[in-house]
């Protein structure tokens, strides 16, 4: 069974940093592209960042470019999101999600999410 | 960047009804569109991918259609568990934009 478990969320002050983790199990992690998607309280889904299976390509939303950095450790079956210079508008639930196999690009498995609150 | 416009944002329907939700892409995306269902306090769940392929385990009362710029999600014979929020997402190119969401409520 595919499992994605996020951790690392919490309360942080504006301008602070946080590192989210996503532990993957139940599938060959090193063969799948992975993503972070967030959802602000009461709002819709926002794609944040994606990374190819071998880290050869990384894509970021304009809203986080230069502040957030996605990475992965295939040996540890883990995905990460380093978040710097956090702003109030980054407050959201952050979901880790798996990209389906090529040629499809949809997100076929999701974690339960971790809440990040940016507030003084 | 490809923009995705989803409508309506709110839909009220009764058990047994048929409803349709539409997503429009700002440029052609072939069939690179997915639909997700989200219930309160839960992660999104994949329903349909490649515009019309039903994810395994999803009831056949859900269907998707369209290609290019116009797509629809149709639910027939609405069941109590279908009342949720639905999102489309284009996966043709980055950034992988989502629609604004449609909240489906019981009338």
């Amino acid at each position: 069974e595919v499992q994605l478990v996020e951790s690392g969320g919490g309360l942080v002050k504006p301008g602070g940093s946080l590192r989210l983790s996503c532990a993957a199990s139940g599938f060959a992690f090193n063969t799948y592209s992975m993503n972070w998607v967030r959802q602000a309280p009461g709002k819709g889904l926002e794609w944040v960042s994606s990374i190819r299976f071998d880290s050869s390509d990384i894509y970021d939303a304009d809203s986080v470019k230069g502040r957030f950095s996605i990475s992965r450790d295939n040996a540890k079956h883990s995905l990460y999101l380093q978040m710097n210079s956090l702003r109030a508008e980054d407050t959201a639930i952050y979901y880790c999600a798996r990209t389906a196999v090529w040629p499809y690009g949809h997100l076929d498995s999701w974690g339960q999410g971790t809440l990040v609150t940016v507030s003084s | 960047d490809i923009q995705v416009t989803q409508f309506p944002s709110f839909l009220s329907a009764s058990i047994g009804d048929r409803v349709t939700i539409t997503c429009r892409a700002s440029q052609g995306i072939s069939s690179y569109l997915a639909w997700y269902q989200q219930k309160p306090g839960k992660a999104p769940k994949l329903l349909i991918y490649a515009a019309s392929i039903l994810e395994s385990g999803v009831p056949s009362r859900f269907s998707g259609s369209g290609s290019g710029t116009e797509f629809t999600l149709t639910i027939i014979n609405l069941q109590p568990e279908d009342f949720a929020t639905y999102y489309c997402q284009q996966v043709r190119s980055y950034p992988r934009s989502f629609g604004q969401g449609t909240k489906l409520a019981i009338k």
Side-chain angles (χ1 to χ4, degrees):
Chain A
E1 181 196 0
V2 173
Q3 282 206 331
L4 298 168
V5 180
E6 301 93 336
S7 60
L11 175 64
V12 60
K13 289 181 168 52
S17 297
L18 212 55
R19 189 195 196 206
L20 305 184
S21 298
C22 172
S25 61
F27 66 101
F29 181 72
N30 62 349
T31 64
Y32 284 84
S33 296
M34 297 295 295
N35 310 264
W36 289 99
V37 175
R38 68 183 181 183
Q39 186 169 37
K43 302 297 185 183
L45 300 173
E46 180 187 13
W47 170 82
V48 173
S49 191
S50 298
I51 185 168
R52 278 177 58 89
F53 68 96
D54 59 357
S55 303
S56 59
D57 284 300
I58 285 173
Y59 305 91
D60 298 311
D62 285 346
S63 57
V64 305
K65 206 163 286 187
R67 301 187 301 122
F68 290 12
S69 177
I70 190 172
S71 64
R72 64 191 295 159
D73 185 333
N74 286 344
K76 294 183 177 179
H77 298 88
S78 293
L79 176 72
Y80 306 102
L81 186 67
Q82 177 66 44
M83 303 186 296
N84 300 327
S85 303
L86 281 160
R87 307 166 180 165
E89 55 265 35
D90 296 319
T91 294
I93 296 172
Y94 285 74
Y95 295 102
C96 162
R98 186 181 80 169
T99 301
V101 295
W102 187 89
Y104 307 112
H106 56 277
L107 307 181
D108 65 355
S109 294
W110 297 65
Q112 85 290 348
T114 187
L115 176 63
V116 172
T117 303
V118 184
S119 174
S120 54
Chain B
D1 294 1
I2 299 173
Q3 319 301 324
V4 177
T5 304
Q6 182 177 344
F7 53 91
S9 56
F10 183 85
L11 194 51
S12 178
S14 302
I15 303 295
D17 280 357
R18 170 191 172 121
V19 297
T20 298
I21 299 169
T22 299
C23 272
R24 187 170 289 152
S26 60
Q27 56 187 271
I29 58 171
S30 184
S31 297
Y32 290 94
L33 189 106
W35 291 96
Y36 306 90
Q37 177 193 66
Q38 187 180 34
K39 296 183 178 179
K42 299 294 187 183
K45 171 191 167 187
L46 176 67
L47 293 178
I48 287 169
Y49 61 95
S52 62
I53 301 176
L54 208 61
E55 172 73 342
S56 175
V58 174
S60 58
R61 60 181 181 273
F62 291 88
S63 65
S65 65
S67 68
T69 60
E70 191 98 355
F71 302 85
T72 58
L73 171 69
T74 299
I75 315 171
I76 62 171
N77 188 24
L78 273 171
Q79 296 301 299
E81 60 268 30
D82 300 337
F83 292 93
T85 301
Y86 293 85
Y87 295 93
C88 60
Q89 183 195 23
Q90 68 82 17
V91 294
R92 175 63 180 85
S93 65
Y94 290 97
R96 298 274 215 246
S97 40
F98 286 91
Q100 296 80 359
T102 297
K103 183 173 183 178
L104 176 57
I106 299 177
K107 187 181 289 184

